[in-house]
Amino acid sequence: MEASHLSKISTFLFLLFASAATLALGQGTRVGFYLTSCPRAESIVQSTVRTHFQSNPKIAPGILRMHFHDCFVQGCDGSILIDGAGTEKTAPPNLLLRGYEVIDDAKRQLEQACPGVVSCADILALAARDSVVLSNGPGWPVPTGRRDGRVSLASDTANLPGFRDSVDLQKQKFAAKGLNTQDLVALVGGHTIGTVACQFAQYRMYNFNSSVTVDPSISPSFLSQFQSLCPANGDASKRVALDTGSENRFDNSFFGNLQSGRGILESDQMLWTDPSTRTLVQRFLGIRGLLGLTFSVEFARSMVKMSSIGVKTGTDGEIRKVCSAIN
């Protein structure tokens, strides 16, 4: 391995640990929170995610997206895991999420090993990291010590980023959570290792707006393939890869697809068509003449930032005995 690459990794880890230390001082989370109270906490979560992943690799992007949706509503407090009428889990943006059984499985094992110690919010944050690693992505130190929230309302999901959001609206939603434009592009790129239902993309090919039938940002050379994936009168629930040609694999090919007009979601393709985010996409692609960004490094850094949104620590919140129910 080249010395420059090793140096980059060392710098990356240093910055991540520095970020985690800042979180510890400011919010009560820290890397290694369970070292004394539940030493096997992280290894139990890791082995549980691996076991489920080996049976169904599609749970990896599901858990990653679940963590994202959790953090953007009420903060990273595990509120998305709660069952019941009118909870976050029942809201339209969350109906197709998958992987709840993985978190429940890990929680059952942790309750046997260390009753009442490890929060569901931390399990989800750790499982998201482990899911990325299993998808050939980077690992990162996860600050832990979150407590579980007691509030879960479907109505609070209205401000989740949407598949038709303009870049300006996406930036507003991310900024409201303390995340900048680079975080936006990095996190969207990392969350495309999975699939999406055709219902969220079909209109782009058959009924884009009152002026044109087909979204002009779709590459003409990709249109026929896109239409074959999601036919006009086909099954709207059929799932297609968000990153064409690289499903379930963590890499930067998503950005190349945007450059080629092969983005599946309108909100994703806008990252290329909007000048304010196009440069960041180009930097993640390493286009000559621009200062490059290493996608895996920046994604991991942004995940640490995202997983600190609105965390509950100390006496705030609770440690749930079962992740799907408030104590």
Side-chain angles (χ1 to χ4, degrees), residues 8 15 180-187 250-252 255 276-302:
K8 182 181 289 185
L15 289 171
N180 60 31
T181 304
Q182 183 172 307
D183 295 320
L184 161 64
V185 177
L187 290 169
F250 188 97
D251 53 33
N252 72 341
F255 300 112
S276 69
T277 48
R278 183 189 302 133
T279 299
L280 285 164
V281 174
Q282 292 171 324
R283 291 177 68 189
F284 279 126
L285 284 171
I287 290 179
R288 185 176 299 176
L290 294 172
L291 179 63
L293 288 169
T294 303
F295 175 49
S296 59
V297 171
E298 300 306 328
F299 174 77
R301 198 191 320 276
S302 293

Side-chain angles (χ1 to χ4, degrees), residues 13 22 39 90-91 103 114 152 186-187 220 272 280 311 316:
L13 291 175
T22 301
T90 68
I103 309 303
C114 316
S152 182
L187 290 169
W272 178 261
L280 285 164
V311 296
D316 194 11

Side-chain angles (χ1 to χ4, degrees), residues 44-117:
I44 288 174
V45 174
Q46 183 183 60
S47 63
T48 303
V49 174
R50 183 187 301 112
T51 297
H52 285 268
F53 178 85
Q54 289 170 345
S55 300
N56 179 17
K58 293 181 180 179
I59 61 99
I63 291 172
L64 180 60
R65 186 166 295 275
M66 188 190 303
H67 182 44
F68 178 88
H69 284 211
D70 182 45
C71 290
F72 265 71
V73 180
Q74 295 285 345
C76 308
D77 66 349
S79 53
I80 197 169
L81 305 169
I82 298 172
D83 286 339
T87 60
E88 291 173 38
K89 189 183 288 190
T90 68
N94 297 331
L95 290 177
L96 298 178
L97 291 178
R98 63 185 76 185
Y100 292 107
E101 71 280 4
V102 182
I103 309 303
D104 291 338
D105 188 3
K107 180 61 173 175
R108 281 192 296 270
Q109 296 181 53
L110 285 164
E111 283 300 299
Q112 292 176 356
C114 316
V117 173

Side-chain angles (χ1 to χ4, degrees), residues 72-296:
F72 265 71
V73 180
Q74 295 285 345
C76 308
D77 66 349
S79 53
I80 197 169
L81 305 169
I82 298 172
D83 286 339
T87 60
E88 291 173 38
K89 189 183 288 190
T90 68
N94 297 331
L95 290 177
L96 298 178
L97 291 178
R98 63 185 76 185
Y100 292 107
E101 71 280 4
V102 182
I103 309 303
D104 291 338
D105 188 3
K107 180 61 173 175
R108 281 192 296 270
Q109 296 181 53
L110 285 164
E111 283 300 299
Q112 292 176 356
C114 316
V117 173
V118 183
S119 70
C120 298
D122 277 344
I123 294 171
L124 182 52
L126 291 167
R129 185 268 314 273
D130 297 337
S131 294
V132 171
V133 172
L134 287 166
S135 302
N136 298 316
W140 58 90
V142 176
T144 45
R146 299 167 190 77
R147 289 172 67 84
D148 299 320
R150 297 187 177 98
V151 177
S152 182
L153 298 171
S155 57
D156 288 339
T157 66
N159 287 326
L160 277 169
F163 63 98
R164 300 194 76 163
D165 285 353
S166 67
V167 168
D168 282 345
L169 183 53
Q170 291 181 66
K171 289 193 292 187
Q172 289 174 24
K173 289 180 177 180
F174 275 70
K177 304 299 179 183
L179 301 171
N180 60 31
T181 304
Q182 183 172 307
D183 295 320
L184 161 64
V185 177
L187 290 169
V188 169
H191 283 75
T192 58
I193 57 174
T195 60
V196 67
C198 282
Q199 68 191 73
F200 300 111
Q202 283 171 317
Y203 71 94
R204 297 184 64 207
M205 297 172 281
Y206 309 109
N207 187 29
F208 185 57
N209 59 36
S210 59
S211 302
V212 295
T213 301
V214 178
D215 181 349
S217 67
I218 300 173
S219 168
S221 64
F222 178 57
L223 181 59
S224 60
Q225 180 184 349
F226 200 174
Q227 290 174 327
S228 68
L229 292 171
C230 294
N233 298 312
D235 181 4
S237 65
K238 177 189 174 185
R239 302 191 71 86
V240 295
L242 280 163
D243 184 8
T244 306
S246 187
E247 182 182 353
N248 297 327
R249 188 171 69 249
F250 188 97
D251 53 33
N252 72 341
S253 67
F254 166 73
F255 300 112
N257 278 331
L258 298 187
Q259 182 185 28
S260 303
R262 297 165 62 90
I264 299 299
L265 295 181
E266 183 182 2
S267 58
D268 290 350
Q269 189 60 49
M270 286 178 185
L271 298 180
W272 178 261
T273 57
D274 190 295
S276 69
T277 48
R278 183 189 302 133
T279 299
L280 285 164
V281 174
Q282 292 171 324
R283 291 177 68 189
F284 279 126
L285 284 171
I287 290 179
R288 185 176 299 176
L290 294 172
L291 179 63
L293 288 169
T294 303
F295 175 49
S296 59

